[in-house]
Amino acid sequence: MSRMLITAATALAFWSSLASTAVVTQLSSRVDTRGESTSLDVSVSFDVRAGARASMPLHHQLISLSIEFCYSIDFLGEPNSPNLFSRQLLQNVKDISGALPILRLGGNTQDKATFCENCPESLNSTYKPGSTEAIDVSFSKGLFTAMNENMPSKQEYIFGLNLGRNDINVAKAELNAASKYLDQSKVVAYELGNEPDHFTWPSYGFRPNDTWSMAAYVQQTLEWLPQLSSGKKFQYGSIAGSPAVPSDFTLVEALQLGVSKLKQVTILSSHAYQGAVCTPASAALVHMEDYVNHLHTVRYYAAYIGEIAAAKSLGLTYHMGETSSAACHGKDGVSNTMGGLLWTIDYSFYMATLGLDRILFHNGRGDYFYSFWEPVGGVNPPTSAHINPQYYSLLFHASAIAGLDSPRIHRVAHLDTHDLAHYAIYSGNQLKKMVILNTHLHNGTTESRPVKHIDLSPIFGKTMKVKRLSAPNTIAKAGMTWGTQAIDGTTGKLVGKEAWESISNGVVDVFASEAVIIETGR
Ligand SMILES: *[C@@H]1O[C@H](CO)[C@@H](O)[C@H](O)[C@H]1NC(C)=O
Ligand SMILES: *[C@@H]1O[C@H](CO)[C@@H](O)[C@H](O)[C@H]1NC(C)=O
Ligand SMILES: *[C@@H]1O[C@H](CO)[C@@H](O)[C@H](O)[C@H]1NC(C)=O
């Protein structure tokens, strides 16, 4: 009986993943029902050696952070007054995996920023009433001091320079100051300009519509990058538009226009926002169902395969250099929930299976519902500094790679359904762990929580241990536990005792809106 169910589900998964993006896939009912009918026995069986051959590197900094430039000091703290909450939250990740996520300081406001040698403030942002993105930003040496000293030692950065202003002296002054005041061993790359494909938008007005294009951008960077200090590395592109939408701004196009001539470029970067809350009309289209649907995530982000290939064809690193659930700072009740957290993990791990190196989730203050944390409190409750559920993705990834010399990842696609994702984690060619996400929507209104009984004995035998990421339900904004531990809201420290469950019958129960990491052995 359960085998038949699985066959049907597997067939649906196959069909769905093959369906063109134009086809609206029919999904099985998401309504939570009671009892046996939503219990499903899944048998995790696949060709482990073929999986190793198809696997991709799982980067030790896969999940990293982007911080809107005008909020840099809020996240880092002032010189001699570090933001201890941010520092602890980063340290937690390093304590698990030994690796710190990268911090990129950039975004729309990097193109409004200028360096000011004699300004008294580390960072001075000016806002229009009602807007949480600065219209003018100046920074002084204090910002670099904070970058050098405030975060855990060996903290690495990507630093955004101003291209919007269209004045090379502005970018030169920023880069010269960084060369002088910023510890260069902390710099992974600089980045010239943010989302150049939006430079003609009336809200920016950085370039005229009739002359600005991908070709013009490439031409300008061919002229500018060699004039900016030599020996520096650059992240390039940061194109906002999805490659699925016809546009002349793509990395594939940049490749054809001769980006390989720029020896300074070491990273190609895309930006992605699956939805937007910039207008009431766009916000109304942002639904939880589109984030906790694994096959939707796969179909949506498969559009980046060509962009990743463009980077890899030049031997470059590929970043999703700024991203999150919905543009214009996320949607309350979607971005900042357990469902948002599961999407963050699923999206990141799926991109890794396509060959992406790092994915940088964007952060800001106030109405930034997609932020991993609020560094100093915001206007929305709770008004003190706090984490959002998505922060746990950093800890989840850290545990997934912990103890592995050369982590690799493979998506076991034939097992996947709209609400079940299977990632095999290897070290070299040895299968070490499985990551399974049950993204089934459970909003807490039904009495029983649907569960999947997952039989891993075909690959791991009967004895294994499980670390579980849980929360009360899909729409919960708090109450997440990771191996029964949780983040203390005041200190940012993990509290409680880390718990791995012991399994002796080969079967792991994963409830709706949970994720697990499974390892062999006791
Ligand atoms: C929870 O799900 C039920 C059934 O799908 C739906 O009627 C209800 O509106 C949902 N509640 C919330 C808070 O999302
Ligand atoms: C901050 O920037 C604003 C706008 O450019 C300026 O008027 C103000 O004097 C600056 N404040 C300081 C302390 O430099
Ligand atoms: C430039 O073109 C874009 C896209 O076609 C349009 O939205 C925008 O209003 C135009 N800007 C100006 C200043 O005409």
Side-chain angles (χ1 to χ4, degrees):
M1 174 63 186
S2 57
R3 292 284 157 207
M4 283 173 67
L5 278 172
I6 236 329
T7 310
T10 308
L12 175 64
F14 253 122
W15 177 77
S16 303
S17 60
L18 292 173
S20 104
T21 46
V23 177
V24 178
T25 310
Q26 278 207 307
L27 300 171
S28 56
S29 168
R30 313 201 118 262
V31 177
D32 295 340
T33 51
R34 295 184 61 182
E36 294 296 297
S37 57
T38 53
S39 306
L40 197 60
D41 294 324
V42 179
S43 180
V44 175
S45 174
F46 63 96
D47 185 336
V48 170
R49 282 198 290 177
R53 285 193 297 273
S55 69
M56 288 288 178
L58 181 57
H59 201 285
H60 59 290
Q61 296 169 315
L62 170 72
I63 303 182
S64 283
L65 299 169
S66 166
I67 294 169
E68 186 60 49
F69 196 92
C70 64
Y71 295 115
S72 297
I73 286 291
D74 297 296
F75 279 84
L76 301 177
E78 289 285 354
N80 300 316
S81 179
N83 185 315
L84 298 176
F85 191 61
S86 295
R87 185 160 82 185
Q88 181 63 49
L89 293 172
L90 291 164
Q91 184 64 42
N92 294 339
V93 183
K94 191 175 185 179
D95 289 345
I96 297 171
S97 68
L100 281 166
I102 284 182
L103 300 181
R104 171 227 187 205
L105 307 184
N108 288 334
T109 57
Q110 90 185 54
D111 282 308
K112 312 267 182 170
T114 51
F115 177 71
C116 172
E117 182 75 57
N118 297 314
C119 282
E121 297 185 308
S122 305
L123 188 84
N124 175 17
S125 299
T126 308
Y127 298 87
K128 238 187 350 212
S131 170
T132 51
E133 288 189 17
I135 49 168
D136 189 29
V137 183
S138 63
F139 61 97
S140 68
K141 158 187 173 181
L143 174 59
F144 298 120
T145 308
M147 292 169 73
N148 288 337
E149 296 174 0
N150 285 6
M151 293 297 103
S153 63
K154 308 246 170 75
Q155 178 63 56
E156 293 181 307
Y157 298 94
I158 293 172
F159 192 78
L161 306 175
N162 188 329
L163 177 69
R165 187 69 73 85
N166 209 11
D167 178 352
I168 194 168
N169 292 317
V170 170
K172 266 188 185 164
E174 292 179 309
L175 190 54
N176 289 343
S179 304
K180 196 164 151 194
Y181 301 121
L182 177 61
D183 176 352
Q184 294 300 296
S185 72
K186 292 181 177 294
V187 181
V188 172
Y190 293 91
E191 179 187 70
L192 181 61
N194 177 72
E195 301 181 353
D197 50 329
H198 287 176
F199 274 16
T200 56
W201 283 19
S203 52
Y204 302 97
F206 290 141
R207 297 292 188 280
N209 254 4
D210 49 349
T211 54
W212 190 244
S213 63
M214 189 82 213
Y217 167 72
V218 172
Q219 186 55 39
Q220 185 157 33
T221 54
L222 283 170
E223 285 163 18
W224 281 30
L225 289 189
Q227 292 182 59
L228 297 166
S229 344
S230 60
K232 302 291 188 227
K233 294 174 179 172
F234 279 83
Q235 166 164 286
Y236 192 89
S238 56
I239 295 158
S242 164
V245 178
S247 152
D248 109 273
F249 279 92
T250 61
L251 297 174
V252 170
E253 186 70 19
L255 193 68
Q256 280 154 13
L257 291 164
V259 76
S260 63
K261 282 183 256 171
L262 286 165
K263 297 301 168 216
Q264 297 86 346
V265 171
T266 55
I267 304 167
L268 291 189
S269 158
S270 306
H271 290 188
Y273 290 92
Q274 184 178 318
V277 298
C278 309
T279 64
S282 67
L285 299 174
V286 175
H287 301 297
M288 177 68 87
E289 284 80 355
D290 293 330
Y291 294 88
V292 293
N293 180 333
H294 169 64
L295 295 181
H296 184 277
T297 300
V298 165
R299 279 194 302 275
Y300 188 86
Y301 293 100
Y304 290 86
I305 289 172
E307 302 290 87
I308 297 172
K312 296 297 158 186
S313 73
L314 298 178
L316 303 179
T317 298
Y318 177 81
H319 285 178
M320 192 60 87
E322 184 195 304
T323 192
S324 205
S325 40
C328 296
H329 316 160
K331 185 168 184 174
D332 192 17
V334 176
S335 304
N336 54 347
T337 63
M338 182 62 176
L341 164 58
L342 292 174
W343 169 80
T344 302
I345 296 170
D346 193 20
Y347 168 31
S348 303
F349 281 30
Y350 172 62
M351 292 303 285
T353 69
L354 298 182
L356 162 142
D357 295 288
R358 302 185 186 94
I359 177 164
L360 289 81
F361 287 89
H362 203 46
N363 293 265
R365 274 194 63 199
D367 66 351
Y368 284 65
F369 297 105
Y370 57 48
S371 286
F372 279 21
W373 68 87
E374 276 280 352
V376 287
V379 290
N380 296 296
T383 49
S384 53
H386 63 271
I387 63 160
N388 281 323
Q390 311 88 286
Y391 168 76
Y392 283 93
S393 66
L394 287 165
L395 305 182
F396 190 91
H397 164 261
S399 290
I401 61 165
L404 306 185
D405 292 334
S406 50
R408 298 182 68 83
I409 185 167
H410 171 64
R411 175 179 162 241
V412 188
H414 76 274
L415 296 175
D416 285 1
T417 61
H418 72 276
D419 58 2
L420 211 48
H422 306 76
Y423 296 99
I425 311 294
Y426 294 80
S427 185
N429 59 10
Q430 299 229 296
L431 180 65
K432 294 289 191 185
K433 308 181 191 187
M434 282 298 297
V435 164
I436 296 177
L437 311 183
N438 180 348
T439 63
H440 193 89
L441 186 59
H442 173 65
N443 69 13
T445 55
T446 51
E447 284 175 51
S448 74
R449 187 172 187 165
V451 61
K452 314 249 193 215
H453 308 296
I454 301 179
D455 180 4
L456 290 113
S457 60
I459 54 164
F460 281 163
K462 298 276 186 207
T463 312
M464 59 195 94
K465 51 180 201 166
V466 179
K467 191 166 179 182
R468 185 179 302 270
L469 178 65
S470 199
N473 52 54
T474 315
I475 58 176
K477 295 181 188 175
M480 286 69 215
T481 54
W482 174 220
T484 75
Q485 291 183 296
I487 295 295
D488 178 85
T490 314
T491 62
K493 287 189 176 157
L494 262 177
V495 291
K497 203 163 151 43
E498 182 183 7
W500 286 79
E501 299 161 32
S502 296
I503 304 290
S504 52
N505 65 352
V507 178
V508 177
D509 288 350
V510 187
F511 288 83
S513 228
E514 282 191 337
V516 291
I517 298 178
I518 302 146
E519 293 183 11
T520 55
R522 264 166 249 279

